[in-house]
Amino acid sequence: LDKNSAAEKLYDQDLLHKAALYLRKNIFNIEHRELGYPLTADELMKGEVDLPEDLLYFLRVLITGMDVDDEISEKTKRIILSNAADLVYATNKGRGKPAKHLILGLALKSLTGSRKVIEVINKLGHSVCYNIVETLETYLAEDIKDKEQTRPDGIIPMADLITTLAWDNYDENSETLSGKGTVHDTVGICF
């Protein structure tokens, strides 16, 4: 490297260092909100923290090379939001949980029923841990029980529309000395 190239590289590293510290400060200054009880789907969609606008702007420019005024696709918006949520979750070590991390864990448990899948995704920084997913499911179930309704939030009853709900408990009792490996879950289907 000649002297100009070395100086330019140091300048670039200094610029990146300052940008990283600036974004880190913004992430640590995010206002946290408690998930309320009763827990609703709307609260889960908001998460415990909002994503900092400066981080979203940075990722938009990094990923697209475009300014804010340029139109981007819905897919690109999702990628930016997903990466921003991962950076917030990783930087604050899971203390403020973005909506993505709450919802992804619940979705994976619902779709796969696998603790291992949630643990792998959690270790990669994309979801909350299995115990938090279980807690969230319990809060959601208690909310439904307290409302004394059998339909999930978001299903709006209409006089001219027939709705059928089917609920079943799913128990898998593996014979183990410790009792580990057993699954007790409730599954619902709405037609």
Side-chain angles (χ1 to χ4, degrees):
L1 289 172
D2 64 23
K3 285 185 179 182
N4 288 339
S5 296
E8 194 172 300
K9 184 174 181 169
L10 283 174
Y11 174 77
D12 289 347
Q13 285 179 335
D14 184 54
L15 192 62
L16 289 172
H17 184 81
K18 285 179 182 175
L21 290 177
Y22 174 79
L23 292 172
R24 183 178 171 81
K25 182 183 78 167
N26 283 353
I27 290 169
F28 283 127
N29 287 333
I30 296 173
E31 196 170 310
H32 294 156
R33 59 182 161 264
E34 293 288 321
L35 294 176
Y37 184 81
L39 182 61
T40 64
D42 289 337
E43 279 195 62
L44 284 173
M45 294 297 287
K46 291 177 188 171
E48 292 179 346
V49 294
D50 293 323
L51 304 175
E53 288 299 320
D54 288 341
L55 179 60
L56 295 172
Y57 175 78
F58 175 83
L59 287 171
R60 179 187 174 111
V61 173
L62 178 68
I63 291 169
T64 68
M66 296 184 209
D67 200 0
V68 174
D69 295 334
D70 297 329
E71 191 63 33
I72 59 173
S73 70
E74 289 300 315
K75 179 181 178 185
T76 303
K77 287 178 188 175
R78 279 193 309 272
I79 290 169
I80 291 168
L81 289 171
S82 176
N83 281 282
D86 288 343
L87 289 170
V88 167
Y89 190 72
T91 303
N92 70 25
K93 296 178 178 39
R95 284 187 285 274
K97 295 160 195 65
K100 170 196 171 178
H101 293 76
L102 300 170
I103 295 167
L104 184 58
L106 284 166
L108 287 172
K109 176 132 188 313
S110 175
L111 293 170
T112 69
S114 171
R115 180 183 191 124
K116 288 283 184 211
V117 169
I118 295 169
E119 287 174 353
V120 167
I121 298 300
N122 170 256
K123 287 179 182 175
L124 292 172
H126 298 293
S127 170
V128 293
C129 68
Y130 185 81
N131 291 340
I132 291 176
V133 170
E134 290 271 285
T135 302
L136 292 172
E137 278 187 329
T138 301
Y139 287 155
L140 289 168
E142 287 173 355
D143 178 45
I144 290 170
K145 186 185 95 179
D146 291 347
K147 288 181 183 175
E148 295 183 2
Q149 72 181 30
T150 57
R151 63 178 168 76
D153 289 338
I155 304 295
I156 301 168
M158 299 172 75
D160 59 339
L161 184 64
I162 297 171
T163 303
T164 302
L165 294 164
W167 295 95
D168 194 11
N169 63 329
Y170 172 74
D171 295 320
E172 180 184 303
N173 297 311
S174 303
E175 293 185 29
T176 62
L177 292 175
S178 67
K180 290 186 176 183
T182 61
V183 176
H184 306 283
D185 214 346
T186 303
V187 180
I189 300 172
C190 178
F191 299 96

